[in-house]
Amino acid sequence: MESTEPEPSDSRPEEEEEEEEEEEEEEEEEDGALLPPEQPLAAVEDCLAKKMEITVSEAEKRTGRNAMNIQETYTAYLIETRAVESQIEGQCAPVESLWRRYSEFELLRNYLSVTYPHIVVPPLPEKRLSADNMDPDFVERRRIGLENFLLRVASHPVLCQDKIFYAFLMQEGGWKEMVNETGFQLKADSRLKALNATFRVKNPDKRFTELKHYSDELQSVISHLLRVRARVADRLYGVYKVHGNYGRVFSEWSAIEKEMGDGLQSAGHHMDVYAASIDDILEEEEHYADQLKEYLFYAEALRAVCRKHELMQYDLEMAAQDLTSKKQQCEELATGTVRTFSLKGMTSKLFGQETPEQREAKIKVLEEQIREGEEQLKSKNLEGRDFVKSAWADIERFKEQKNHDLKEALISYAVMQISMCKKGIQVWTNAKECFSKM
Amino acid sequence: AASAPKPLPSSGPKSLREMPHPLATSSSEEMGPALTPSPDLLLPRSIADKDLSLPNGTPVDTSSPASSSSLLNRLQLDDDLDVETRDLFVTVDDPKKHVCTMETYITYRVTTKTTRAEFDLPEYSVRRRYQDFDWLKNKLEESQPTHLIPPLPEKFVVKGVVDRFSEEFVETRRKALDKFLKRITDHPVLSFNEHFNVFLTAKDLNAYKKQGMALLSKMGESVKYVTGGYKLRSRPLEFAAIGDYLDTFSLKLGTIDRIAQRIIKEQLEYLVELREYGPVYSTWGGLEVELSEPLEGVSACIGNCCTALEELSEDMTEDFLPVLREYILYAESMKNVLKKRDQVQAEYEAKLEAVALKREDRPKVPTDVEKCQDRVECFNADLKADMERWQNNKRQDFRQLLMGMADKNIQYYEKVCVT
């Protein structure tokens, strides 16, 4: 029985951190997203999702004291896990469970985003800012969304192997500390928060630019779609409900009729049924809307990957530029010629030339810097290529997943509509029968 | 001989049947004191009877008080008539716009096919405008006050922006006018009305109209009811029940009308949103590669739904609502007839009382009183007869109507399903 013991390679991010901390003195703004060295992608069968049943089964209101010792109410969600394989042996494996609140999910996701910048990380259900986080419908939808999130991560070939993720599912106490110990917050590039800040990249990778553009468009179109759908649903609700009035009137009318009475009465009953049917129909549609919403947020995750690439590229170009200018300086100092205007050149002209010893020292420093710079550039280039390769692999995976999921969503939507129409036909056929008996 | 005032007839046909057939009696000694006024009943009936003639052409024996009841029997049989035995067919179609210096108006072609003896030719085709229909209606109301005249579509469109010459309006009106004439055609009494005949046949209706105006005062054709002064003590139960029914009926229809309008409005608003919904899928389809086909598919489907919904709303507006309104009008005119009936009865009762007080005037007043009574009887009879046919017809109409509505909805859903 294969176990999902975290591989030794998972500890490497921690090793790399140490390296980074050294480097950080020199390059403060380094996007510290050094990739975890390439792990073999888990085959689909090995994904955590296949080995373990994961559910977010309950939600509970809790009160507690937060970090600032202020009392607050929040909702906690129960995560239940059970190993699958042992079921084959005829035994039911024990269910393990623990409680997590939304903020912990957020922490997990942030960790994953920073640690795996080349991966399109599954999104969380939305963080509703408005009034009632306690509203039972909202809580229910969120519960489903959180479960979906966990299942997505567990089915991802790379993410499912993450130690922190595993601990999230299995280890209630001390998880937060564990996450913070990874120091991922230090790696997080604050520049990424400025979503729309432009970094002039001289040689942008066309594919990423297109992809970023696509994700923007996708976000825009899906949110538009969701808005209109909501309006459509409202109107449809109105249409159905007004038909309910027929029920009442027919009933009243039937009271004064003789032969027509029975027919009218039963027809009225059907009108009531019709009016009531809309509630179920709309609830089903909400499920469709949620599926679309997931991809709305996924689009954001996609965009984030593009953004990270953009920043990498930018850093690369900056580093290259820096190297070039240092080389130039070195040359100038060595040959004594001033090829381009430089402040140093001017001041030395004004205040006199430096001593040869000074110059030598400077040259030495520069040469050292140049050597370092060249090495860094090399590693950055490598990093960049790795990133592009891995990112693109995951993007392809994501595209397939998206196409598959959305196709299914559309199909189920169509099925929903057909069923709604069939119900409509049923009701009106019944009503027609009543009328024909009048 | 002095006689106690005759008890008021509680309902026309019943008391008529109770009276002995005059042809059966020859000697007055067999009649009880209560029946003294009966010889006077042999006098020619009120004008209302004038137009009575059986469909086969033989005039009703108007001297017989039982004639009304036999006529009633006759009327009941009429309900079972098949189409094949009908001998008069009228249609309204082919609306045309006429532009003159003074005005612009629409005329409709009225086609008649008949085998009746009252008509000189087997076929007629004339052009009539709304005014002419209105004239006919008034004439019928005047000359057959005891009958229920079918309603005409409203003269003016109150709802503001509707174009009098728009296709939908003209078509709706044409259908209503066609129904109006068909209802008259089906009526065993009204269809033999002289004015109706002229309406169907005359080349120049206006000339006849003018002529009619002049003759009006001479012939005293219109039975003018004195409105003031006669208060009905109590409406007979039967008619009170009808009155109540009509009140509730028009109320309910009014409510249904409002609901239907509201539904149409909501449907149109839904349509607006739906129209925006479809293209968004298209836009999305443009973004995608693999998903583009299904997305376009959804977009197209939504487009079809829009079309189907539009059709549904149109049909409801054109077919369902007008019929509702028509029946509301019908109910109104029926209530008016009931009121008139009350008037007649009131007049009769008042005169009867007067007779009871003044014995000397008996020879003259009883005639008057009898006339009143006659009117009441006939009124009641005709009314009841008409009510029954009306109920039947109404039932049919509504059945068709609501089934039609159901059908339309079904069609709508089926269309949506198919896409």
Side-chain angles (χ1 to χ4, degrees), chain A residues 313-361:
Chain A
Q313 184 75 358
Y314 178 76
D315 283 344
L316 189 74
E317 287 179 1
M318 285 292 111
Q321 207 174 20
D322 188 54
L323 188 65
T324 316
S325 83
K326 283 209 167 87
K327 281 190 179 162
Q328 226 170 44
Q329 274 179 28
C330 206
E331 204 190 306
E332 283 168 20
L333 280 176
T335 60
T337 57
V338 180
R339 251 191 271 149
T340 55
F341 178 82
S342 78
L343 195 59
K344 264 216 168 96
M346 287 315 294
T347 52
S348 56
K349 280 219 171 125
L350 290 171
F351 296 109
Q353 294 275 355
E354 306 164 300
T355 62
E357 293 84 20
Q358 278 176 328
R359 220 176 333 137
E360 274 303 317

Side-chain angles (χ1 to χ4, degrees), chain B residues 255-268:
Chain B
T255 311
I256 294 181
D257 183 63
R258 278 195 301 281
I259 295 176
Q261 279 186 53
R262 174 88 186 276
I263 288 181
I264 290 178
K265 175 164 160 279
E266 296 279 344
Q267 278 176 339
L268 288 179

Side-chain angles (χ1 to χ4, degrees), chain B residues 87-92 108-128 132-133 135-136 181 184-185 191-209 211:
Chain B
D87 52 4
L88 179 64
F89 298 90
V90 179
T91 28
V92 177
Y108 304 83
R109 180 176 66 190
V110 179
T111 319
T112 313
K113 289 194 172 75
T114 180
T115 55
R116 287 192 186 175
E118 290 79 13
F119 293 86
D120 295 331
L121 299 172
E123 265 191 56
Y124 290 92
S125 179
V126 293
R127 287 236 144 229
R128 297 284 179 252
D132 303 330
F133 286 83
W135 170 88
L136 174 64
L181 290 185
I184 300 178
T185 313
S191 61
F192 289 91
N193 183 285
E194 194 188 314
H195 302 296
F196 185 53
N197 189 308
V198 174
F199 178 88
L200 292 178
T201 60
K203 280 294 166 197
D204 184 2
L205 192 60
N206 287 325
Y208 177 77
K209 281 190 203 176
Q211 195 188 33

